[in-house]
Amino acid sequence: MQCSDRGRNLCACHAMSCQDSSARDFGFSHYRWMTPPASTLQYLTQLNEKTTSQHTSPKFFANVTGSLDDHGSCQCSVYLPDTTFPVQKAEQLQVIATTLLQKFEAELSQVKEYSKRIELYQQQILNITIRVEHMEQSSISYTELDFQLLKVEISDLERLVTQLKSSVVGSNVVIDQIYLEITNLTILVNELESMDKNNILAIRRQIVSLQNQLRECEESKNKTTAPPYFPPGSCTHRGLLNVSQPYVVKLNWKGFSYKYGSWGRDYSPSNPEKEIYWVAPLNTAGRYFDYFRIYGSFDDLLLFKPKYERTLSYGEGSGAALYNNFFYYHVYASSDIAKYDIDRNNVVLRKALPSAAVSNRFSYAGVSWQDIDFAVDESGLWVIYSTENSMGNIVISKLNETTLDVLNTWQTRQYKPSVSNAFMLCGVLYATRTLSTRKEEIFYMYDTSTGEEGRVSVVMDKKLDTIQSLAYNPTDQRLYVYNDGYLLRYDVTFQL
């Protein structure tokens, strides 16, 4: 930069190209030039002349008008663009951008978590709302415990939503709506609780009922009355009343590994006093059998002295029955039923059971491959099964024991795979279900003479977990149970 005088108050500055960038800063630099003293100018002029003699003379690229200050110095102001890349500022911007991205991702993750929690709270509120509406519309009397449980659940929801609301910055319409619904639910439950005056009456009725039951127990505990007697084959009673404790006869003749099978006593209407027993263990897989034994008396059964050991074409399941010297069973892997003469050791008849669902389609609960279950009672031979048309509900058919033709059929509303076993007694079907590993309950009945079905409750003790077969015998009026390989027997009592 060179300066020259132009007048009294004006001066000229000449800007020339410069390779030295040591005086530059980032951005546009503002240089203020001042005219040096005369001695300095003289020295610079001489230096410039020497430099000019050695190098090319500098080239001016701009003339700028300046002004003289009070001391006579020339001052000029120019703006020079800086072409150097601002590295430090770019690094600062990159750090700021990375920080903002991390904060954005953290906020986005929190928003997703809040969305999930809000959906969960909405579902819980919907469930509680449905329960409250049911309580409001139903005439059933609810106890104090029901209201306390509702209050606890609503209180938990209110606490969680309050925490969520405090963690969200700013207002959120969805959370506010949930909080309002919880408040409304609290008011509604309190109103229902205050109006539920029937609880007192219901509890009083329960207390009176319990007192009556205790009084009846005290009055009858010292009474020892003999059970009513009904002749074998008689149906003058009003149905099943109770069963005795189980009498464990023995383990089946094949051993403990043969947990599946059936056993019982033959019922011969022409000779009811004749004692013939059968035991038919299934193979260890619990599906088929080929050997079974016939015992001529109960003592022979206890002493392992069979009258016959018979072999037949494979039978399937533990639903076999012995009636009037003939053994009835379900033929393996088919819908056929067969009649086997135990004296002549041959199959007398084999016929398909119409529409029967087989291949383990609708077996009993806990017992596989018992699609077709034979039963014997005072009136003859029955078969218990299911069909596709009945959608798995129990179907009862009365059979002609000579021809195996179906004489009559009844369709129940009891789903067969939900019962553990069944038997016939005086034309009435009784079904059982498992209560525990040591308790079974006769809970369902269907009367074929009237078409009526209903609920009963007769609890049976058992020795092991599963009852594989259950058969009733009209001669001695007992139940014969195959219980995980053991042979059990129960006495039956009837209603007067």
Side-chain angles (χ1 to χ4, degrees), residues 114-126:
Y114 294 156
S115 299
K116 292 180 181 178
R117 293 170 66 180
I118 287 173
E119 290 178 0
L120 178 63
Y121 298 157
Q122 287 176 332
Q123 185 61 42
Q124 290 181 353
I125 287 176
L126 178 61

Side-chain angles (χ1 to χ4, degrees), residues 51-331:
T51 305
T52 303
S53 64
Q54 297 176 2
H55 304 283
T56 57
S57 59
K59 297 180 180 180
F60 299 104
F61 59 84
N63 295 323
V64 180
T65 302
S67 61
L68 296 175
D69 58 9
D70 295 338
H71 302 286
S73 300
C74 182
Q75 294 182 347
C76 299
S77 296
V78 294
Y79 289 92
L80 297 178
D82 187 2
T83 57
T84 303
F85 184 78
V87 178
Q88 294 180 353
K89 290 187 176 180
E91 290 177 350
Q92 292 176 358
L93 290 175
Q94 186 175 6
V95 171
I96 293 172
T98 303
T99 303
L100 290 176
L101 180 60
Q102 292 175 350
K103 289 184 178 180
F104 174 77
E105 290 178 350
E107 293 295 331
L108 182 61
S109 176
Q110 282 189 346
V111 169
K112 291 180 180 178
E113 181 66 24
Y114 294 156
S115 299
K116 292 180 181 178
R117 293 170 66 180
I118 287 173
E119 290 178 0
L120 178 63
Y121 298 157
Q122 287 176 332
Q123 185 61 42
Q124 290 181 353
I125 287 176
L126 178 61
N127 293 338
I128 295 177
T129 303
I130 294 173
R131 289 169 57 189
V132 171
E133 289 177 353
H134 177 72
M135 291 175 64
E136 190 176 19
Q137 297 172 3
S138 175
S139 59
I140 300 174
S141 178
Y142 286 84
T143 63
E144 180 70 20
L145 181 60
D146 295 312
F147 291 105
Q148 293 301 325
L149 290 175
L150 278 176
K151 286 181 178 180
V152 169
E153 292 182 13
I154 293 173
S155 177
D156 290 340
L157 276 176
E158 185 176 2
R159 176 177 53 80
L160 292 173
V161 173
T162 302
Q163 292 177 357
L164 182 62
K165 188 175 182 181
S166 62
S167 62
V168 175
V169 179
S171 62
N172 190 298
V173 177
V174 177
I175 297 178
D176 292 339
Q177 182 65 30
I178 291 176
Y179 194 84
L180 179 60
E181 292 180 8
I182 291 175
T183 304
N184 294 336
L185 276 177
T186 304
I187 297 172
L188 182 57
V189 169
N190 290 333
E191 291 178 353
L192 283 174
E193 185 180 17
S194 63
M195 292 186 295
D196 186 38
K197 299 178 181 178
N198 292 329
N199 274 322
I200 300 174
L201 297 176
I203 293 173
R204 287 178 178 173
R205 292 192 193 102
Q206 291 178 2
I207 293 173
V208 171
S209 176
L210 290 174
Q211 289 174 345
N212 292 334
Q213 291 179 19
L214 289 173
R215 190 180 301 109
E216 291 175 1
C217 288
E218 290 176 356
E219 291 175 355
S220 62
K221 69 179 180 180
N222 295 324
K223 294 182 181 179
T224 56
T225 56
Y229 173 76
F230 296 94
S234 171
C235 290
T236 57
H237 51 76
R238 293 192 299 114
L240 178 69
L241 176 64
N242 205 351
V243 296
S244 67
Q245 288 294 309
Y247 171 72
V248 181
V249 177
K250 59 183 288 186
L251 184 65
N252 77 90
W253 58 276
K254 278 195 170 184
F256 182 76
S257 298
Y258 292 80
K259 295 180 177 295
Y260 305 90
S262 59
W263 87 291
R265 179 178 175 176
D266 180 26
Y267 175 56
S268 178
S270 59
N271 188 11
E273 299 301 322
K274 182 180 69 173
E275 283 192 286
I276 296 292
Y277 296 88
W278 95 90
V279 180
L282 274 63
N283 70 319
T284 53
R287 180 174 183 181
Y288 69 89
F289 67 99
D290 48 2
Y291 295 98
F292 68 99
R293 285 184 174 181
I294 301 295
Y295 298 89
S297 68
F298 188 70
D299 289 339
D300 290 344
L301 173 67
L302 294 178
L303 296 174
F304 291 97
K305 293 171 58 178
K307 182 179 181 180
Y308 309 119
E309 182 173 308
R310 297 307 194 191
T311 305
L312 43 73
S313 58
Y314 289 119
E316 182 171 286
S318 53
L322 186 62
Y323 176 62
N324 204 19
N325 224 46
F326 290 95
F327 190 69
Y328 298 88
Y329 65 96
H330 175 205
V331 179

